[in-house]
Amino acid sequence: MSRNVDTPLEESGAAEEVACHDCAQVQTLPPLGLRSVARCIRCDAVLDRREPPDSTPLALALAGLFCGLMANAFPIIEVSLAGRVRSNLLVSGPRALISDQMPVLALLVAFFSIVFPLLWLGAVSYVLLRVRAGTRARELGPLFRLAERLRPWAMTEVYVIGGFVAFTRLEELGRVSIGTGGWAVAATAFLTFLVDQVLDRRHVWDSIRRPAPVRGPGPTLGCPQCDLVTTLPEGSRCPRCRCQMWRRKRDSLNRTVALVIAGAALYLPANILPIMAVGRLGRPTPDTILTGIGELVRRGYWPLAIIVLFASVLVPVLKLVSLTWFVVAVRQRWRWALRFRTRLYRLVDGIGRWSNIDVFMISLLVALVQFGVLATVEPKAGAVAFAAVVVITMFAAEAFDPRLMWDAVEGRDE
Ligand SMILES: [Zn+2]
Ligand SMILES: [Zn+2]
C-alpha cells in the first residue's frame, strides 16, 4: 500500500491522508493549488477540489435561500381557461395530492421540492457563516454532514424540468404564463447548482476540524462522509462529523439485492398503469409515462421528449441492470472492467434523482388543472408506483458499496 503514497506525511505539513470513498485506496493528498482538482490514483473519483477561500459560496447560498423563500411565497404558473384563472404555489401540488387521496406522493413532492432544498441551502449558509466567523462549534460537523446527505434529495433542478413539461401540457388547455414564484424556482435551482460547483468541501471540513496526521502501523478507518482517516475501531463515531464509521457499508449486498428486486417488481406497473387522467369536457383520458412522451413528440418538443424518455424510462433500467451486474461481479470476484464499473456506479448514483421529472409534472398539473367539466387532471396509481421505483432505486444505489468490487479482486471477503 505504501508505494501508492506520494509524500510521507511528516515531510509536508499541508498534505493529508484520505481514503477514497469509491475504492478505499488510502492515499496522501498533496497540497493543492487554487482551482485544481485531486482525483483518486486508482478509480478517478474526485477527492478534493480547491477553490479560492472567498465568500462566493456563502453569497450564492444566501441568495439561493432568499430565492427559495420567494419561490414558496409567489405563484409558479398561471393558467386561464374560458375566463377563469388558476395559479399555484409550490405547496399547492402536495395539497392537491392529499385531497386526491395520495398522501405518500404528496409527502415525497413536499420534501423533495420544498423542505430539502430550503434545509440544504439553510444548513450550508449557516455552516459557511460560522466557519467564516472562525467558530469551531461541535454541531457544525453533524450539520454539514446532514447537508451533504440531503443534497441528492433536494431536487429543485429536477422540479424545473418537470415544470417545463407541465407548461407544454398546459399550453393545450389555455393561456399559460410563468409567475414570480416560477422564476424564483428557476433562480433557486441555478444558485443551488452554482453553490455545488464552487463549494470547497475539504476547506469547510478542515475549518470545522483540522485532521491530525495518522501515525502507526495499525489499520485505518475512513469516514464515509467527511473522508477523515482515523485509527478508531469499527463502529465508532467520526470525531469530526459524528457519522458512524464502518470499513464497508453494512450488509451492503443483501440490501442492494432486496431493493433491486423491489424496484424491478414495480417497474412494469409504473410504466404500464396510468400515472394521471386528463379529463376534457367530462371525458377522462388515461395518461401513462409513454403516452406522455408521445404527446411531447407529437407537439414537436423533441429535446424535452428525449430528456423524459431518458430520465423516466431508461435511467431506472440502467440502474437496475448495473446494480445487478455489480452485485454478481462482487460475488463472482470478476476483475473485468473494474474501473469502468466504479465510474458507472458514480453515474448511476448521480442521475437517479432526475427520474422524478414526471412526478413533479403531475403535482403541478393536478393543482392547476381544476376547471370542472372543462378540464381536470387527476393522479392515478401508476404515479405512486413510478415514484416508488425512483426512490427505491436511489436507495439501492446508496446501499451498494463500490469498494466491495475492489475488495473482491483483492481476495478479501465482505
Ligand atoms: Zn478511488
Ligand atoms: Zn466524518
Side-chain angles (χ1 to χ4, degrees):
M1 195 82 82
S2 62
R3 71 193 158 83
N4 290 322
V5 176
D6 312 325
T7 350
L9 271 177
E10 289 74 16
E11 278 176 29
S12 161
E16 193 181 323
E17 203 171 351
V18 296
C20 174
H21 40 82
D22 282 348
C23 76
Q25 175 73 55
V26 174
Q27 51 207 295
T28 301
L29 283 185
L32 276 187
L34 286 183
R35 295 189 201 286
S36 48
V37 172
R39 288 179 181 278
C40 173
I41 50 174
R42 191 157 74 168
C43 79
D44 251 6
V46 174
L47 296 176
D48 194 4
R49 172 181 278 142
R50 270 288 123 92
E51 297 292 338
D54 59 16
S55 311
T56 314
L58 175 60
L60 291 170
L62 286 172
L65 193 58
F66 175 73
C67 290
L69 293 171
M70 296 268 291
N72 277 280
F74 294 97
I76 313 271
I77 296 179
E78 223 176 63
V79 199
S80 54
L81 174 62
R84 284 169 66 194
V85 181
R86 282 191 64 92
S87 63
N88 68 331
L89 297 172
L90 262 181
V91 76
S92 311
R95 234 192 246 153
L97 287 169
I98 284 180
S99 54
D100 278 320
Q101 316 295 330
M102 301 251 170
V104 177
L105 209 54
L107 273 181
L108 289 182
V109 171
F111 275 105
F112 295 162
S113 65
I114 300 172
V115 181
F116 291 159
L118 287 179
L119 214 54
W120 187 77
L121 286 163
V124 168
S125 303
Y126 179 77
V127 169
L128 290 177
L129 270 172
R130 297 295 299 272
V131 161
R132 197 179 132 92
T135 25
R136 293 187 175 217
R138 286 192 84 208
E139 82 273 7
L140 289 186
L143 190 62
F144 195 54
R145 168 169 66 103
L146 175 76
E148 289 285 82
R149 289 272 293 141
L150 278 184
R151 181 62 194 97
W153 302 92
M155 302 190 188
T156 314
E157 313 96 300
V158 186
Y159 191 91
V160 170
I161 307 288
F164 271 125
V165 180
F167 190 91
T168 65
R169 299 301 296 265
L170 290 165
E171 274 183 332
E172 287 184 291
L173 294 171
R175 288 235 329 269
V176 203
S177 60
I178 298 174
T180 314
W183 295 112
V185 172
T188 311
F190 186 57
L191 288 163
T192 303
F193 168 80
L194 285 182
V195 174
D196 232 3
Q197 298 305 304
V198 299
L199 187 60
D200 186 338
R201 290 172 159 88
R202 185 155 310 280
H203 174 72
V204 175
W205 281 123
D206 289 355
S207 307
I208 290 170
R209 184 189 171 131
R210 178 88 207 147
V214 178
R215 289 202 176 79
T220 55
L221 187 62
C223 171
Q225 286 298 317
C226 71
D227 288 343
L228 185 73
V229 177
T230 71
T231 47
L232 295 169
E234 273 214 82
S236 18
R237 296 208 169 262
C238 168
R240 184 154 67 180
C241 73
R242 309 300 302 154
C243 174
Q244 207 169 15
M245 298 184 295
W246 301 95
R247 207 176 65 81
R248 298 293 177 260
K249 289 178 191 168
R250 294 176 82 199
D251 211 14
S252 167
L253 290 189
N254 286 336
R255 280 193 297 139
T256 309
V257 169
L259 289 164
V260 164
I261 291 172
L266 283 166
Y267 181 78
L268 270 188
N271 280 277
I272 290 171
L273 292 178
I275 52 169
M276 61 182 183
V278 184
R280 252 179 265 170
L281 300 173
R283 236 183 281 152
T285 337
D287 223 4
T288 64
I289 297 277
L290 286 173
T291 59
I293 295 169
E295 192 66 21
L296 287 171
V297 171
R298 190 178 66 77
R299 309 196 46 232
Y301 290 106
W302 276 99
L304 217 45
I306 291 170
I307 290 174
V308 177
L309 177 71
F310 263 97
S312 301
V313 184
L314 301 180
V315 164
V317 176
L318 177 71
K319 290 178 80 168
L320 293 171
V321 171
S322 326
L323 287 169
T324 309
W325 178 27
F326 301 159
V327 170
V328 174
V330 172
R331 290 231 197 276
Q332 301 294 321
R333 298 175 179 271
W334 285 342
R335 183 176 286 276
W336 188 69
L338 199 48
R339 261 168 71 103
F340 173 75
R341 268 187 268 139
T342 312
R343 286 195 183 137
L344 181 62
Y345 170 76
R346 280 200 287 274
L347 175 77
V348 157
D349 191 33
I351 56 173
R353 52 208 290 278
W354 289 94
S355 304
N356 262 312
I357 291 174
D358 275 324
V359 175
F360 292 139
M361 174 204 67
I362 295 167
S363 83
L364 281 156
L365 291 182
V366 292
L368 279 166
V369 188
Q370 297 303 337
F371 293 99
V373 191
L374 285 178
T376 53
V377 169
E378 221 186 292
K380 290 287 175 196
V384 181
F386 184 79
V389 170
V390 178
V391 172
I392 287 171
T393 51
M394 279 180 79
F395 277 127
E398 240 183 56
F400 183 72
D401 193 332
R403 293 169 294 187
L404 294 177
M405 299 193 290
W406 295 83
D407 293 349
V409 301
E410 274 165 21
R412 268 185 278 160
D413 267 324
E414 189 186 353

